[in-house]
């Protein structure tokens, strides 16, 4: 039986890791794009600042 060259095994391991990393990176890009789209396509919720609730109280004499 012929022995496999360790350099070939090392390069094959690097290639396998590169494929896994590429798939993970692609998944993360798609996930981030979907979250970004969800944020910008959400309906307008109105202003969070309401001057009636944040006005100072009237002076007490």
């Amino acid at each position: 039986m012929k022995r496999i060259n360790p350099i070939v095994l090392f390069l094959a391991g690097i290639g396998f890791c590169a494929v896994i990393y590429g798939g993970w990176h692609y998944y993360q890009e798609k996930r981030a794009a979907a979250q970004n789209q969800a944020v910008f396509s959400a309906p307008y919720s109105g202003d969070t600042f309401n001057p009636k609730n944040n006005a100072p109280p009237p002076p007490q004499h």
Side-chain angles (χ1 to χ4, degrees):
M1 183 172 162
K2 187 176 178 184
R3 191 161 181 244
I4 299 175
N5 191 348
I7 294 174
V8 172
L9 283 176
F10 178 71
L11 293 176
I14 290 175
F16 179 73
C17 292
V19 168
I20 297 296
Y21 173 77
W24 180 252
H25 184 71
Y26 178 77
Y27 167 74
Q28 290 295 331
E29 279 187 349
K30 293 298 178 183
R31 188 169 162 235
Q35 286 179 345
N36 192 26
Q37 180 65 28
V39 167
F40 286 113
S41 66
Y44 179 66
S45 62
D47 288 331
T48 57
F49 177 74
N50 187 350
K52 291 181 183 176
N53 294 336
N54 293 324
Q60 304 291 321
H61 291 283

